[in-house]
């Protein structure tokens, strides 16, 4: 298994509160990604990182921010959570090289009441 | 038109049969193609990668790529109930850093 750990695995919180999800990797991979997965929408990219302090927006970045201060950690923050951000969040990593696949963490199930 | 399209299913096959899952993509410059399996409540797991036209076999799985027709397929031989899952097709354009995922096909293998 790829060395990816997501925390927390489950979280329930209230609308308007800040939430931070963590992705930790032990593979020393350059690329890290945050996705959300919802019924009827499949996997959608939120943000990704191509190196320490290098990040870019994905398809559904509104309401989310990210930070990567170390190679191994990629944080996803919901500054003020809304019910529409209830979802399952997956982190993925990818090695350098054009044809490398992404490997996924176990996911975080986030419920915002 | 979605960039990567899959029939959502469910595709139901009897145990021991061949399951055929299909995926079409819209961008001709796509170079890398991946199949992921996702069990209910779990994360996507890579099962096949294919980069060149033709067939690639790995155990009971065969990936087929036809760039001229812009489709990629996954065949599962001797299907088992444990193969029941959602299969996601993913496409990488231009050897870039992003994957585009299809919506997935749900496969049900009945004993």
């Amino acid at each position: 298994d790829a060395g990816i750990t997501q925390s927390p695995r489950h979280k329930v919180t209230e609308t308007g509160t800040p939430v931070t999800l963590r992705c930790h990797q032990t593979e020393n991979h350059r690329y890290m990604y945050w996705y959300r997965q919802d019924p009827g929408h499949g996997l959608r990219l939120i943000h990704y990182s191509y190196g320490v302090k290098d990040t870019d927006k994905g398809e559904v970045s509104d309401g989310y921010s990210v930070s990567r201060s170390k190679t191994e950690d990629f944080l996803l923050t919901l500054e003020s959570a809304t019910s529409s951000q209830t979802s399952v969040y997956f982190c993925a990593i990818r090695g350098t090289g054009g044809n490398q696949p992404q490997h996924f963490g176990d996911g975080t199930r986030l419920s915002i009441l | 038109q979605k960039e990567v399209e899959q029939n959502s299913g469910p595709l139901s096959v009897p145990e021991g049969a061949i399951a055929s899952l299909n995926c079409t993509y819209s961008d001709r410059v796509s170079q890398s193609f991946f199949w992921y399996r996702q069990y209910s409540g779990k994360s996507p797991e890579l099962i096949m990668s294919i980069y060149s036209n033709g067939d690639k076999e790995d155990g009971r799985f065969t990936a087929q790529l036809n760039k001229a027709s812009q489709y990629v397929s996954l065949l599962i031989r001797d299907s088992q109930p444990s193969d029941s899952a959602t299969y996601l097709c993913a496409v990488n354009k231009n050897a870039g850093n992003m994957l585009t995922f299809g919506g997935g096909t749900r496969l049900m293998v009945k004993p």
Side-chain angles (χ1 to χ4, degrees), chain A residues 1-4 9 13 16 20 25 33 38 41 47 66 84 89 91-92 106:
Chain A
D1 288 347
I4 311 168
R9 294 293 315 281
T13 190
T20 295
Q25 59 142 333
Y33 307 82
D38 306 286
H41 291 279
H47 282 280
V66 290
S84 64
Y89 291 85
C91 174
D106 289 337

Side-chain angles (χ1 to χ4, degrees), chain A residues 44-108:
Chain A
R44 293 182 291 176
L45 182 66
I46 304 171
H47 282 280
Y48 73 100
S49 171
Y50 48 96
V52 174
K53 299 191 188 307
D54 292 324
T55 65
D56 207 348
K57 296 179 179 180
E59 176 188 359
V60 290
S61 59
D62 287 348
Y64 301 95
S65 62
V66 290
S67 66
R68 192 168 178 200
S69 59
K70 299 184 290 184
T71 297
E72 57 265 36
D73 289 326
F74 192 32
L75 304 180
L76 177 70
T77 297
L78 291 65
E79 300 289 349
S80 178
T82 67
S83 59
S84 64
Q85 294 175 310
T86 292
S87 186
V88 179
Y89 291 85
F90 289 106
C91 174
I93 64 174
R94 173 180 169 267
T96 303
N99 291 329
Q100 295 296 312
Q102 293 178 18
H103 297 279
F104 287 83
D106 289 337
T108 294

Side-chain angles (χ1 to χ4, degrees), chain B residues 33-101:
Chain B
F33 307 85
F34 307 97
W35 283 100
Y36 289 83
R37 177 177 62 199
Q38 187 174 24
Y39 292 115
S40 181
K42 302 295 185 181
S43 62
E45 173 193 11
L46 179 72
I47 55 172
M48 290 288 286
S49 306
I50 188 165
Y51 310 109
S52 307
N53 277 329
D55 294 359
K56 179 182 178 183
E57 186 174 321
D58 184 0
R60 294 187 296 113
F61 299 100
T62 299
Q64 300 175 317
L65 175 60
N66 184 323
K67 290 187 177 181
S69 300
Q70 295 176 238
Y71 81 79
V72 56
S73 61
L74 179 70
L75 301 179
I76 307 174
R77 289 182 299 282
D78 189 23
S79 295
Q80 301 297 309
S82 59
D83 294 325
S84 298
T86 296
Y87 290 80
L88 303 172
C89 172
V91 175
N92 182 323
K93 297 188 298 185
N94 281 334
N97 303 320
M98 254 78 78
L99 290 181
T100 302
F101 287 86

Side-chain angles (χ1 to χ4, degrees), chain B residues 15-26:
Chain B
E15 182 175 357
I18 297 175
S20 178
L21 305 164
N22 299 312
C23 171
T24 59
Y25 59 94
S26 60

